[in-house]
Amino acid sequence: MSRWKAPHTTLLAAALVAATLPLATPLTSHAATTRTLAAGPVNPGFETGDLTGWTVAEGTAFGPGAVSTATTYWGGPFHHRGGHHLWGFAAAGDDATGTLKSSTFAAPSRIGFLVAGGWDPQRLYVALVRDADGARLLTQTGTDDEAYVRTVWDTSPWRGQAVHLEVVDRKTGGWGHINLDDVRVGDAAVRDDNGLTFRTLGQANQPTAPRDHAADPLRPQYHYTPYQGWINDPNGLVQWRGRHHLFSQYYPDAPKWGPMHWAHADSPDAVHWRELPVALTPAPPATPTDNSGIFSGSAVDDDGTLTVAYTRFTDTAARPGTTAETVEIATSTDGVTFSPGTEVIAQAPPGSSAGFRDPKLFRDPVDGRWKMAVGSGDAGRGKVHLYASDDLRTWTYGGVLTEGDGTTGAMWECPDLFPLDGKWVLLYSTNEGGQSLQRYAVGAYDGSRFTPERHGVLDGGGDVYAAQSYRDDAGRRLMTAWMSDWNAKEPTRIGGWAGAQALHRELFLTADGRLGQRPVAEADTLAAGTPTTVNGKTVQGSWRIGRGDSARLKTVIDLGATTADTVTLRLKASAAEATELRYEKSTGTLTLDTTRAGYGTPATFTTHTAPGPGNTLALDVLIDRSSVEVFTGDGAALTARAYPRYRESDAVEFTAPTGRIRLVSASLTPLGPALLTD
């Protein structure tokens, strides 16, 4: 699977960072001035209700009406400051272009501002410009979203020099606009009115040589993510010659979906990852808008040869007369370099009107042959096709493996069929009424048909999709998934990257037949500090166990001795924001709430968990800089991305506004980075 889900967006093959525009070095000869310079631009938040203090240098993009009082747009709130903001779409839509200049001011040590609108570093940006020579000193593009994200610039190299801001729109078509609000200078650029400190975000703050994965305060530390660019589905999961391999759908040229490549990493333990060269690369585009690429697939060990199967997607608008989706095989003998792909399925079978993609290879224990499950759908009903082969090259169509009844999506993506604990399990991903879901079914398989006996949603959170599993050398069934979905906001685009893979998980069947999951045991090796541990503690009101934006909380709660009906954990917490995890004793409902978590998608996600032995609730919570993964003792899970605005938003607290919480135990362990540098 590799579909594009971005509202009114046109693919850009633009460079990622501000380096695409020539940046200037300090020009000390121009630092002196005979006039007194203002401490910041006039009308920095457009609160006059018009463009007072700003000058339209060219075009119509920022004409009358560009200053808006709108609080919401087609996808949610702007999150601007005050009553007004500069909405680049409001005056003349996406097709208008132009440049808006602020008044001149003395460059301070820091400048901060809210930015939104389209992503295009070459054609859409806010720039700091030196008056003396017109040099663009720093630039920042938007996020392909109207919700504002704050950028902070270090402007100390030009302190005291005469500068101004320019809002530049040279892009037409979808997302052809840029938004600005709440320009701050000096200490106010980094310190909010509430006394909290803004996290330092933006493309100018992304080191390029050497790459520093710790520099961005939203970048995951122990989840696989691109340094720059975009990833979505995990692909080709396999343990080969002792090492775990993880491929990912990848677009290196922008932090959004584009012509798909396969990124590649390997690991000794399925937790710590080493970057490898890009494994699969699409052909050069036939036209500027050609989205042809290498979609999702899987990997197997074929008698010592690492073999991958994937969907070759061809953009038929750019390449008339071609077939949109076919299946290819590529091989590697060293685990790094792959042969050119060979087409093995040239045409989808009948009944595939919704699509034909994401082949999953497996050796079938029923007849010993290679099998391939391929996602599809027709007439509003998702389905999976099945193929068989003796050599991974010549495939025979075996018919429909299984199909839905129309209530679980019209297209089943990323199918994965495997035996587990005496049953067979099918994973599949769907889009239902605009909601992305990772589903599963448990049932029976006879070598040609899968008969589901039980259905469920794998993770009740909003950010698990395109899950893929594999059997490791120890016989465990391990799984990871794209830790996002097609509806999610991606505020990290402001730094040039987007997407992450979930921590590897071990799958198992629960006593009542559900598909359960727990963090892979090797996650314990991420511990990177002394844990804070308590036993037998009673909490009334609020109690902070510690702080950390890369940490693991394990707790067992005595529900019988807990008088509060709602037990609340505040994660990534400060006085202004938090991600909340709540358990209601009376209903057994576990809720993960990101409505006040900062940037990103505000939502509540729920699952059900039953009390464990001794009427207890066991929780294992993995916190990374922009994610929370929650696992219960009975195998339920909730996963969500959360992007705090403030540096202080890293507290972990138990709260009970009424009643008390009785902790059997609780421990908070700092976790270290998972990127291997050799």
Side-chain angles (χ1 to χ4, degrees), residues 206-252:
Q206 300 294 321
T208 55
R211 296 181 174 187
D212 182 359
H213 282 74
D216 188 326
L218 296 183
R219 185 182 296 280
Q221 295 299 285
Y222 59 89
H223 291 85
Y224 179 79
T225 190
Y227 188 75
Q228 294 278 268
W230 160 282
I231 61 169
N232 52 285
D233 305 2
N235 297 153
L237 297 179
V238 68
Q239 188 168 10
W240 184 74
R241 296 184 182 175
R243 294 186 69 86
H244 301 261
H245 287 258
L246 169 64
F247 303 85
S248 301
Q249 291 285 276
Y250 176 50
Y251 184 50

Side-chain angles (χ1 to χ4, degrees), residues 76-213:
F78 283 98
H79 293 306
H80 58 287
R81 290 294 183 95
H84 300 81
H85 58 108
L86 182 74
W87 186 13
F89 182 82
D94 277 336
D95 286 334
T97 61
T99 301
L100 183 69
K101 293 184 178 182
S102 77
S103 60
T104 292
F105 57 96
S109 58
R110 294 284 189 276
I111 296 177
F113 53 88
L114 293 171
V115 66
W119 185 95
D120 188 330
Q122 291 182 321
R123 295 182 291 177
L124 289 171
Y125 53 87
V126 178
L128 179 68
V129 180
R130 184 163 50 207
D131 283 18
D133 57 3
R136 297 189 195 97
L137 307 175
L138 294 166
T139 64
Q140 177 63 56
T141 190
T143 61
D144 271 7
D145 198 300
E146 303 290 25
Y148 282 103
V149 179
R150 186 168 296 278
T151 281
V152 177
W153 283 339
D154 177 2
T155 54
S156 57
W158 308 282
R159 187 169 182 172
Q161 296 182 27
V163 296
H164 64 274
L165 295 175
E166 291 186 2
V167 187
V168 177
D169 177 357
R170 296 196 179 102
K171 183 179 187 298
T172 60
W175 284 115
H177 66 276
I178 187 85
N179 311 338
L180 177 68
D181 191 32
D182 197 36
V183 179
R184 294 168 172 250
V185 298
D187 290 342
V190 294
R191 181 79 60 177
D192 203 354
D193 303 340
N194 57 18
L196 299 178
T197 310
F198 295 120
R199 297 196 175 213
T200 303
L201 308 177
Q203 63 196 48
N205 302 303
Q206 300 294 321
T208 55
R211 296 181 174 187
D212 182 359
H213 282 74

Side-chain angles (χ1 to χ4, degrees), residues 13-38:
L16 259 176
V17 296
T20 58
L21 296 169
L23 301 184
T25 55
L27 188 64
T28 55
S29 62
H30 293 277
T33 179
T34 58
R35 68 187 191 278
T36 301
L37 295 175

Side-chain angles (χ1 to χ4, degrees), residues 279-562:
L280 301 175
T281 302
T287 69
T289 60
D290 185 1
N291 288 323
S292 300
I294 299 171
F295 279 10
S296 293
S298 56
V300 292
D301 184 344
D302 181 22
D303 292 330
T305 298
L306 181 58
T307 303
V308 298
Y310 54 87
T311 301
R312 168 74 69 177
F313 168 71
T314 302
D315 185 341
T316 56
R319 302 170 186 264
T322 57
T323 300
E325 293 173 315
T326 61
V327 176
E328 293 185 356
I329 293 280
T331 61
S332 175
T333 57
D334 62 6
V336 177
T337 304
F338 284 80
S339 66
T342 300
E343 185 178 273
V344 294
I345 301 178
Q347 192 74 37
S352 303
S353 62
F356 178 70
R357 54 183 173 267
D358 315 332
K360 179 61 192 289
L361 301 173
F362 64 99
R363 179 73 82 171
D364 192 342
V366 175
D367 58 14
R369 304 183 73 195
W370 289 111
K371 297 293 175 67
M372 178 194 294
V374 186
S376 188
D378 187 53
R381 301 158 66 100
K383 66 174 64 173
V384 180
H385 296 293
L386 187 66
Y387 290 78
S389 175
D390 294 317
D391 60 3
L392 293 170
R393 302 299 185 276
T394 302
W395 292 88
T396 302
Y397 180 55
V400 175
L401 173 72
T402 190
E403 63 184 324
D405 60 4
T407 64
T408 56
M411 171 71 196
W412 286 3
E413 299 185 305
C414 304
D416 186 0
L417 182 68
F418 54 88
L420 184 67
D421 299 341
K423 290 287 188 177
W424 281 80
V425 176
L426 176 70
L427 301 177
Y428 59 100
S429 301
T430 70
N431 188 278
E432 302 169 31
Q435 181 182 14
S436 299
L437 288 175
Q438 178 59 59
R439 290 190 170 273
Y440 74 87
V442 179
Y445 169 66
D446 63 6
S448 60
R449 291 282 297 181
F450 172 76
T451 304
E453 300 165 357
R454 180 176 189 138
H455 295 271
V457 174
L458 182 64
D459 188 301
D463 290 305
V464 164
Y465 195 81
Q468 187 173 127
S469 75
Y470 65 109
R471 185 179 184 273
D472 76 348
D473 291 347
R476 301 176 298 178
R477 177 58 58 169
L478 303 185
M479 181 217 81
T480 190
W482 179 30
M483 198 163 59
S484 189
D485 71 70
W486 292 111
N487 304 302
K489 294 180 179 296
E490 299 287 353
T492 64
R493 281 194 181 114
I494 200 169
W497 62 275
Q501 308 299 15
L503 187 75
H504 271 46
R505 308 171 181 193
E506 182 179 0
L507 300 179
F508 60 93
L509 292 185
T510 64
D512 61 355
R514 293 179 294 108
L515 182 59
Q517 54 199 302
R518 52 183 165 244
V520 67
E522 289 85 348
D524 291 346
T525 64
L526 291 167
T530 303
T532 300
T533 303
V534 297
N535 294 290
K537 182 176 180 61
T538 298
V539 176
Q540 291 183 291
S542 180
W543 173 65
R544 178 178 298 171
I545 187 173
R547 312 188 76 97
D549 60 7
S550 179
R552 186 177 192 177
L553 175 70
K554 288 186 174 183
T555 187
V556 177
I557 300 170
D558 184 340
L559 297 175
T562 294

